[in-house]
Amino acid sequence: MIMSKETLIKSIREIPDFPKPGILFYDVTTLFKDPWCLQELSDIMYEMYKERGITKVVGIESRGFIMGPILATRLNAGFIPIRKPGKLPAETIEENYEKEYGEDTVEIHKDALDSNDIVLLHDDLLATGGTMKAACDLVKKLKPKKVYVNFIIELKGLNGKVKFDDDIEVESVLNL
């Protein structure tokens, strides 16, 4: 079955007023439960990054843990989780950041990456960019050779891309 990006977009469930009134939530779990959509996402992202020498895919808790390992396997790369505080068992480094409704923190294992790594940071959705910017800053502390940032969906109207430094290439599969 050949799919288009329009078909993928139509497969995303929209949930109004979640997690709070006035927010329209784009639920990507409908993409993951459909084997054709899941394969199409995997194929598109593989094609986007297959020539970039990615050595580690870093996924952000929790939805970045779904496509991140799939993509890592396809790219013959390792997978590294970025998690909320207290969830990783070995020594970590952290990055604090401001969210729409408060402050939050993300952590990565201190030995997860090194200067030889070419990193692809992945999450499901780019809205305002706060969480991914913090994750990107966290990854940069480990001094990898190069960092790419990828999302399944970018909400264009929120201009989340402007938060990232010019040396970071930010790409999305779908734009809403």
Side-chain angles (χ1 to χ4, degrees):
M1 176 180 193
I2 302 289
M3 284 203 160
S4 66
K5 289 185 179 183
E6 292 77 28
T7 304
L8 291 173
I9 289 169
K10 287 177 186 169
S11 299
I12 298 167
R13 178 173 32 210
E14 296 180 1
I15 302 173
D17 299 320
F18 183 83
K20 63 181 192 173
I23 301 289
L24 178 60
F25 185 82
Y26 293 96
D27 179 12
V28 293
T29 63
T30 52
L31 292 173
F32 303 149
K33 78 175 184 177
D34 181 317
W36 292 280
C37 289
L38 188 61
Q39 185 64 54
E40 185 72 5
L41 279 174
S42 174
D43 290 346
I44 290 169
M45 288 194 287
Y46 172 73
E47 289 298 322
M48 291 169 78
Y49 296 99
K50 69 180 182 181
E51 303 293 329
R52 302 200 192 176
I54 305 296
T55 60
K56 300 287 187 321
V57 175
V58 177
I60 307 208
E61 186 172 351
S62 67
R63 288 179 302 273
F65 291 2
I66 298 168
M67 290 307 299
I70 292 170
L71 192 52
T73 300
R74 297 228 23 216
L75 294 170
N76 195 33
F79 177 76
I80 307 294
I82 285 184
R83 303 216 50 197
K84 294 174 179 143
K87 301 288 186 179
L88 294 170
E91 190 176 353
T92 62
I93 59 170
E94 65 181 31
E95 185 74 24
N96 297 309
Y97 65 102
E98 293 295 321
K99 289 177 68 169
E100 296 82 31
Y101 25 83
E103 189 174 287
D104 213 341
T105 303
V106 288
E107 293 184 337
I108 192 170
H109 279 137
K110 191 175 185 175
D111 62 355
L113 304 167
D114 63 41
S115 61
N116 295 313
D117 282 314
I118 299 173
V119 174
L120 174 59
L121 261 163
H122 171 75
D123 204 2
D124 66 325
L125 181 81
L126 173 58
T128 59
T131 302
M132 182 59 88
K133 173 66 169 124
C136 194
D137 291 345
L138 184 61
V139 163
K140 282 180 157 188
K141 287 179 180 179
L142 297 175
K143 301 183 181 0
K145 196 181 296 186
K146 175 79 177 149
V147 178
Y148 297 95
V149 171
N150 169 270
F151 299 93
I152 296 171
I153 300 169
E154 177 182 350
L155 301 179
K156 286 295 217 181
L158 297 178
N159 298 316
K161 275 188 179 180
V162 301
K163 283 202 162 91
F164 296 91
D165 299 333
D166 291 338
D167 65 325
I168 304 295
E169 197 174 305
V170 180
E171 294 182 289
S172 301
V173 175
L174 306 172
N175 294 297
L176 302 177

